[in-house]
């Protein structure tokens, strides 16, 4: 089960955290429109994240996204605010598990009676004749070191057709622990005894209860809200763009579970292969997040997956609204994960993305928006040039105008300019504005079809409004031209 509980840190997220209190501690609650500091939220290729909270710290345990032979260890990430994350390497390795050799997958963390348990799958067994399956390791601390609790798999064979992988552990309000697992299109639920290392039985004497919903492939996840049990799972192929998350609801932790709908899927403007999720509830609130992995649009290798999370909302009848993969970056984590630079000198400092003066240095997100609203705070810190936003960009490289797309910039000389770029500059419009070096301005681009509008500070009246249909979609980014600048509070949303 995924639970969250963190310290209130008033200065974080620039006032977008609301202090909520539970007995004995404070909880930092992300505001409705704030998702951390941006996705991905940690560096590196990872997948299958599961999250727990121990005392006042969030802990995320993912699969190391490499080839099967290289998947011999698990890292963890901890945070007291879900913004700044600390990496803990090798919390569990195959050296700690005598029977595990490779394909160490989908860790599931849970704490009971002062002990920390980490359930995992290993060896990707293809038949009952192979050694492997679901194991359990135990530690005295969340960061380990974890040791094999049994010396053999807890579940080492196929039951009801379910490959023993992709486990999730859920402890119900009455203290009964359940484990949901299964690959190869079959899902089982088992009871865990209080020792968390042995299996119990159901009232009918059985140990393995099949609960497979329609279109189930893998990646079981269970949580409870308002007395209802939610089973989530992944469907589609894990290397393909059809990888996605669906869910079912039940009055019982053992089902039946009938598929309701898909809630997380590829967004061709943001990311692909989005799946194998976990879910977290902020205690004392009805704020929920879905934590998952996804593949950047420009990446084609199957294992090039990153960790992300977004807000999850419920309808009045308890059903889940489709999840929107948001594109936001507040730089509150003092990094620029997800950005790629082309020329210039870039750094994150003081919660802002800074560029030294250069002749056209740019940084782009791996997006492909067509119709959108793109907002960012732009401050020209020195120089006589301009700085601003790139959009619908393709073919980027280092160079003054080395890309195709559009650019809207502001200068301390009191000018806002919009132009079209194709390895050369064509001005489409300009306007006067009140500005000075060191002053920050909110810049907005509205692009719907051929209609492009540029707003500065006043979001009711555009400074520039033109019609140009040359470029219909592409990446979003920021740029400087013969000036130094700082950028903050970047947000891209689909129009309408």
């Amino acid at each position: 089960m995924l639970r969250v509980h963190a310290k209130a840190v008033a200065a974080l997220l620039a006032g977008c955290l609301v202090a909520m209190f539970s007995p004995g501690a404070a909880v930092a609650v992300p505001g409705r429109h704030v998702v951390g500091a941006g996705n991905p939220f940690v560096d590196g290729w990872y997948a299958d994240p599961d999250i727990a909270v121990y005392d006042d710290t969030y802990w995320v345990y993912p699969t190391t996204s490499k080839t099967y032979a290289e998947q011999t260890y698990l890292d963890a990430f901890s945070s007291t605010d879900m913004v700044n994350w600390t990496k803990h390497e090798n919390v569990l390795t195959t050296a700690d598990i005598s029977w595990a050799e490779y394909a160490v997958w989908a860790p599931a963390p849970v704490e009971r009676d002062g002990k920390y348990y980490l359930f995992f799958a290993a060896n990707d067994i293809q038949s009952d004749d192979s050694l492997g399956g679901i194991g359990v390791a135990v530690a005295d601390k969340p960061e380990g070191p974890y040791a094999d609790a049994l010396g053999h798999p807890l579940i080492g064979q196929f039951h009801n057709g379910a490959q023993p992988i992709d486990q999730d552990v859920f402890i119900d309000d009455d203290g009964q622990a359940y484990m949901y697992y299964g690959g190869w299109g079959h899902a089982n639920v088992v009871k865990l005894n209080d020792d968390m290392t042995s299996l119990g039985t159901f009232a009918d004497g059985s140990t393995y209860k099949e609960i497979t919903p329609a279109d189930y492939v893998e990646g079981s996840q269970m949580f409870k809200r308002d007395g209802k049990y939610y089973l989530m799972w992944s469907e589609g192929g894990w290397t393909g763009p059809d990888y996605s998350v669906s869910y079912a609801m039940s009055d019982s932790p053992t089902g039946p579970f009938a598929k309701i709908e898909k809630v997380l899927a590829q967004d061709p403007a943001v990311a692909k292969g989005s799946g194998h999720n976990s879910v977290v509830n902020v205690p004392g609130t009805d704020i929920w997040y879905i934590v998952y992995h996804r593949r950047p649009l420009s990446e084609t290798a199957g294992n090039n997956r990153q960790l992300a999370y977004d807000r999850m909302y419920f309808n009045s009848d308890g059903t889940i609204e489709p999840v929107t993969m948001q594109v936001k970056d507040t730089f509150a984590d003092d990094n620029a994960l997800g950005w790629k630079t082309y020329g210039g000198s870039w750094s994150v400092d003081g919660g802002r993305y800074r560029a030294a003066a250069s002749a056209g240095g740019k940084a782009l997100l791996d997006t492909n928006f067509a119709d959108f609203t793109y907002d960012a705070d732009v401050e020209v810190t020195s120089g006589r040039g301009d700085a601003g936003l790139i959009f619908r960009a393709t073919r980027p490289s280092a160079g003054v105008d080395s890309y195709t797309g559009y650019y809207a910039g502001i200068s301390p000389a009191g000018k806002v300019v919009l132009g079209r770029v194709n390895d050369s500059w064509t001005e489409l419009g300009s306007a006067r504005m009140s500005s000075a070096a060191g002053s920050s301005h909110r810049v907005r681009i509205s692009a719907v079809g051929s209609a492009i509008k540029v707003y500065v500070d006043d979001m009711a009246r555009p400074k520039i409004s033109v019609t140009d249909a040359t470029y219909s979609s592409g990446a979003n980014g920021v740029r400087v031209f013969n000036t130094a600048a700082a950028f903050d509070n970047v947000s891209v949303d689909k129009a309408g």
Side-chain angles (χ1 to χ4, degrees):
M1 182 181 184
L2 299 171
R3 303 170 302 276
V4 100
H5 182 210
K7 294 178 180 178
V9 185
L12 288 170
L13 299 182
C16 292
L17 295 179
V18 180
M20 301 294 294
F21 295 92
S22 61
V27 179
V29 181
R32 180 177 175 87
H33 299 295
V34 175
V35 178
N39 286 321
F41 63 87
V42 298
D43 194 16
W45 302 127
Y46 292 95
D48 314 334
D50 206 344
I51 185 171
V53 62
Y54 301 133
D55 296 323
D56 59 359
T57 302
Y58 301 84
W59 288 84
V60 171
Y61 300 82
T63 297
T64 303
S65 194
K66 295 185 175 182
T67 65
Y68 289 1
E70 295 176 292
Q71 291 176 319
T72 59
Y73 63 94
L74 296 173
D75 296 330
F77 297 87
S78 65
S79 173
T80 58
D81 53 31
M82 290 187 74
V83 174
N84 299 282
W85 296 88
T86 298
K87 183 177 180 179
H88 305 266
E89 296 183 344
N90 299 325
V91 298
L92 178 69
T93 74
T94 53
D96 306 313
I97 310 296
S98 61
W99 55 270
E101 296 182 5
Y102 60 93
V104 179
W105 293 345
V110 67
E111 181 272 335
R112 189 157 210 170
D113 297 330
K115 293 289 186 179
Y116 300 90
Y117 298 89
L118 198 59
F119 293 78
F120 61 94
N123 296 354
D124 185 28
I125 64 171
Q126 303 296 298
S127 72
D128 289 342
D129 296 328
S130 301
L131 176 62
I134 296 172
V136 55
V138 63
D140 294 323
K141 299 181 295 182
E143 65 271 33
Y146 285 85
D148 191 354
L150 296 173
H152 56 80
L154 174 64
I155 301 177
Q157 294 185 315
F158 287 69
H159 298 276
N160 302 319
Q163 185 188 27
I165 62 169
D166 287 5
Q167 60 292 320
D168 180 54
V169 178
F170 164 81
I171 301 178
D172 207 350
D173 298 334
D174 62 1
Q176 176 62 58
Y178 299 88
M179 184 165 67
Y180 303 79
Y181 77 92
W184 287 19
H186 293 273
N188 287 336
V189 60
V190 297
K191 282 187 173 181
L192 290 171
N193 293 323
D194 289 345
D195 62 9
M196 302 299 283
T197 59
S198 61
L199 304 182
T201 57
F202 294 102
D204 62 1
S206 66
T207 301
Y208 302 90
K209 179 177 176 62
E210 184 168 10
I211 55 169
T212 307
D215 301 322
Y216 177 92
V217 173
E218 60 194 14
S220 301
Q221 167 68 194
M222 168 59 64
F223 70 94
K224 188 176 183 180
R225 176 183 181 270
D226 290 347
K228 295 289 186 180
Y229 297 86
Y230 294 74
L231 179 69
M232 305 184 84
W233 65 90
S234 294
E235 54 189 59
W238 72 272
T239 61
D242 59 339
Y243 204 53
S244 52
V245 175
S246 292
Y247 80 104
M249 297 169 61
S250 178
D251 293 325
S252 166
T254 59
F257 294 104
K259 178 178 175 177
I260 296 177
E261 66 177 338
K262 188 176 293 186
V263 293
L264 177 67
Q266 167 177 283
D267 185 335
V270 181
K272 54 190 175 182
S274 307
H276 202 123
N277 75 293
S278 52
V279 172
V280 62
N281 171 232
V282 179
T285 77
D286 195 30
I287 294 176
W288 297 76
Y289 287 89
I290 184 169
V291 186
Y292 60 96
H293 73 245
R294 66 194 197 189
R295 187 173 295 105
L297 293 178
S298 64
E299 297 291 341
T300 57
N303 282 312
N304 288 4
R305 296 173 288 177
Q306 298 174 321
L307 303 187
Y309 69 96
D310 283 289
R311 184 74 182 270
M312 191 169 74
Y313 297 98
F314 295 84
N315 299 307
S316 59
D317 62 357
T319 56
I320 305 172
E321 296 181 10
V323 173
T324 299
M325 290 195 289
Q326 296 184 339
V327 177
K328 297 180 182 294
D329 204 335
T330 68
F331 305 104
D333 52 7
D334 280 335
N335 67 53
L337 297 178
W339 294 82
K340 186 174 181 179
T341 61
Y342 302 86
S345 177
W346 298 83
S347 63
V348 180
D349 179 62
R352 295 193 295 173
Y353 198 20
R354 298 180 183 274
S358 68
K362 49 192 168 289
L364 296 179
L365 291 166
D366 196 351
T367 55
N368 188 31
F369 280 90
D371 297 345
F372 58 87
T373 300
Y374 177 16
D375 291 275
D377 295 337
V378 181
E379 177 187 344
V380 177
T381 55
S382 65
R384 297 183 178 181
D386 49 64
L389 310 184
I390 292 175
F391 55 100
R392 292 180 175 172
T394 60
R395 298 196 300 104
S397 63
V400 178
D401 294 312
S402 298
Y403 64 101
T404 63
Y406 300 96
Y407 167 74
I410 60 175
S411 72
K415 183 180 181 180
V416 54
V417 63
L418 170 67
R420 184 178 64 239
V421 182
N422 184 7
D423 298 322
S424 62
W425 170 259
T426 300
E427 185 172 304
L428 298 178
S430 64
R432 302 304 303 173
M433 58 174 285
S434 176
S435 183
S439 59
S440 180
H441 299 273
R442 189 66 171 170
V443 177
R444 170 174 293 175
I445 307 298
S446 171
V448 179
S450 61
I452 301 173
K453 298 178 180 180
V454 182
Y455 300 79
V456 181
D457 297 328
D458 180 357
M459 299 300 139
R461 293 176 294 181
K463 293 287 187 182
I464 301 172
S465 182
V466 303
T467 299
D468 190 279
T470 306
Y471 305 117
S472 59
S473 67
N476 302 84
V478 293
R479 176 182 183 265
V480 294
F481 177 69
N482 293 335
T483 190
F487 304 90
D488 200 0
N489 297 314
V490 172
S491 175
V492 188
D493 296 290
K494 290 182 178 178

